[in-house]
Amino acid sequence: MDEIKAYDEAANTFYRSRNITALPLVSWDLFGPYFNKLCKDAKDICGLNRLAQDNQWSYTGKFDRALTEKEHVIVVTDVELNIVYATHNISKMNGYPQAEIMGKKPKMFQGKDTCKDTARYISKAVRNKLPFEATLLNYRKNGEPYNCWIKGEPIFDGKGKLVNFIAYEREVA
């Protein structure tokens, strides 16, 4: 017991002499959500890398930077436009959990006031296997509209065969 007391006194003397103050436990409350986001981003980057490897993408886009720095939502579809991957932050943007949208088409986010001309422009670019960029009125799961900036592009494998489409998205004013 004397050893523990001596240790406590020595540690106390050392920290006082260094003018070090302990951080309150509350600091974890500030860092915790950021750490949680980083973990989810890392999981999404691994998932996207696995998808790229499985489909032998020749794509050289930097989805890790788009996700972590720009905080874009990333949606990947197959060639029939069925969603095969969506990053965790999609639910923050539109209220749909990842599992609920898998296998469905991105048109599920459109509604009565979605601009038909913009939707046709996107469809034509996809049909012609061309990149596109547009802002489209989409709808959240609860029916509330929001403007969604979308930058999409086709993804080919090393032999030039179309294997996926990728879209970077974010809500805009």
Side-chain angles (χ1 to χ4, degrees):
M1 191 62 138
D2 288 334
E3 294 170 346
I4 293 173
K5 187 177 179 184
Y7 173 80
D8 284 344
E9 288 173 1
N12 204 5
T13 301
F14 171 78
Y15 286 115
R16 265 195 313 246
S17 70
R18 300 290 186 256
N19 198 20
I20 298 174
T21 56
L23 291 175
L25 191 54
V26 177
S27 67
W28 182 250
D29 293 338
L30 300 174
F31 181 71
Y34 177 71
F35 180 72
N36 189 36
K37 180 194 173 309
L38 286 177
C39 291
K40 289 178 180 180
D41 287 350
K43 184 178 177 187
D44 280 334
I45 290 166
C46 288
L48 289 163
N49 281 329
R50 192 172 29 258
L51 185 63
Q53 186 176 17
D54 290 349
N55 291 316
Q56 301 174 347
W57 290 1
S58 63
Y59 180 73
T60 58
K62 301 287 186 201
F63 42 74
D64 54 345
R65 185 169 174 253
L67 182 62
T68 58
E69 293 176 25
K70 297 181 179 180
E71 298 186 1
H72 290 163
V73 170
I74 301 173
V75 177
V76 180
T77 68
D78 61 17
V79 295
E80 282 85 35
L81 299 182
N82 299 305
I83 298 170
V84 296
Y85 198 90
T87 54
H88 74 279
N89 53 351
I90 194 161
S91 61
K92 183 178 177 184
M93 183 172 72
N94 64 21
Y96 286 96
Q98 292 168 297
E100 195 171 323
I101 64 171
M102 290 302 136
K104 297 184 179 167
K105 299 192 183 304
K107 278 190 173 227
M108 70 179 283
F109 306 120
Q110 298 175 17
K112 64 180 179 82
D113 291 327
T114 300
C115 177
K116 304 295 184 232
D117 291 336
T118 306
R120 276 192 291 274
Y121 161 73
I122 293 170
S123 292
K124 183 178 179 183
V126 168
R127 227 180 7 265
N128 292 324
K129 303 174 189 167
L130 297 170
F132 65 89
E133 187 172 339
T135 299
L136 192 65
L137 183 71
N138 276 349
Y139 290 83
R140 300 185 206 300
K141 185 175 181 178
N142 66 7
E144 180 185 328
Y146 68 99
N147 288 312
C148 184
W149 169 84
I150 306 166
K151 181 179 181 182
E153 53 191 296
I155 299 178
F156 301 93
D157 66 11
K159 297 177 184 174
K161 177 184 172 193
L162 179 68
V163 290
N164 292 104
F165 288 94
I166 191 167
Y168 299 95
E169 305 179 4
R170 73 173 179 265
E171 184 175 352
V172 294

